């Protein structure tokens, strides 16, 4: 009986080490993925991903031969089994919670602009660099989850903006130019023009839109779609670059 118990302890120990290694690797992945996030919420995400490793680390210490209280070892072994059974549902919940936290904090640090805007598709509209001497700059990134949209946007005010040059730059690229209230080609496509941006909903109609790319499903109100555009308020010199899919 003692040999059987010793053998089981060795098996549990191997599994604990294996799960500890896997959970630590997953924590490192989360550490890398969230490297652009601010610490005011990043710490919570990392804590959620680190917690399983900490549990296994404590279990390994308790079940080590240095701890001689058999009841404590037995409780740690039972907890190890329960933790192994719960680990997959836990990580599924953590993935969703991570996305929810990211959605609650869409404003990103502008110094990481090139990490968000680097694809050829986005650079067809977004500037390669944020212009100098612009004000109230906001970089917005929100991952899509369930019915939420996947949004990437850049907003700023450029008091020195040359409207004629701006118009020349985007007119030939655009498949449609005009104001939101006049758009009727794909109903519902531009309904979320100002969502998550500093632009007030009531001010949307003051923005001249250069729609570079836009598509919808066959539903009447564009239940699924995507667009890439730039919009400018010629009076206030506000500029919005936006990519959205839902």
């Amino acid at each position: 009986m003692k040999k059987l118990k010793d053998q089981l302890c060795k098996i549990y120990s191997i599994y604990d080490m294996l799960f500890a290694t896997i959970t630590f690797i997953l924590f490192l992945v989360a550490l890398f993925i969230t490297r652009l996030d601010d610490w005011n919420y990043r710490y919570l995400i990392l804590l959620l991903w680190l917690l399983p490793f900490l549990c296994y680390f404590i279990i390994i210490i308790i079940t080590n031969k240095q701890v001689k209280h058999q009841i404590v070892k037995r409780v740690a072994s039972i907890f190890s089994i329960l933790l192994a059974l719960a680990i997959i549902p836990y990580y599924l919940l953590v993935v969703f919670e991570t996305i929810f936290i990211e959605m609650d904090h869409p404003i990103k640090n502008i110094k990481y602009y090139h990490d968000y805007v680097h694809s050829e598709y986005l650079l067809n509209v977004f500037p390669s660099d944020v212009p100098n001497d612009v004000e109230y700059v906001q970089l917005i990134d929100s991952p899509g989850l369930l019915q939420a949209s996947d949004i990437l946007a850049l907003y700023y005010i450029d008091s020195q903006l040359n409207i004629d040059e701006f118009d020349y730059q985007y007119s030939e690229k655009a498949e449609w130019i005009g104001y939101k209230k006049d758009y009727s080609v794909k109903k519902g496509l531009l309904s979320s023009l100002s969502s998550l941006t500093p632009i007030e909903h009531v001010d949307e109609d003051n923005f001249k839109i250069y729609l570079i790319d836009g598509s919808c499903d066959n539903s009447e109100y564009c239940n699924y779609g995507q667009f890439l555009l730039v919009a400018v308020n010629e009076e206030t010199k506000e500029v919005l670059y936006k990519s959205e899919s839902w």
Side-chain angles (χ1 to χ4, degrees), residues 132-136 156-163 234-239:
N132 295 323
D133 303 322
V134 295
E135 300 177 302
Y136 306 105
Y156 59 75
I157 297 175
D158 185 359
S159 59
Q160 307 300 318
L161 183 67
N162 187 311
I163 297 299
E234 297 181 355
E235 295 296 325
T236 61
K237 303 296 181 67
E238 295 174 272
V239 182

Side-chain angles (χ1 to χ4, degrees), residues 18-68:
L18 177 62
F19 276 106
T21 302
I22 292 172
T23 54
F24 186 69
I25 291 173
L26 290 174
F27 168 71
L28 293 178
V29 171
L31 191 68
F32 175 77
I33 291 175
T34 62
R35 67 193 184 282
L36 305 181
D37 292 341
D38 290 331
W39 279 103
N40 63 338
Y41 64 93
R42 186 190 185 198
Y43 78 92
L44 178 57
I45 296 174
L46 294 181
L47 181 60
L48 291 172
W49 286 91
L50 183 61
L51 187 59
F53 168 74
L54 293 178
C55 290
Y56 277 111
F57 183 73
I58 294 171
I59 289 170
I60 290 170
I61 292 175
I62 292 175
T63 56
N64 189 278
K65 290 181 180 180
Q66 296 176 2
V67 179
K68 298 185 178 182

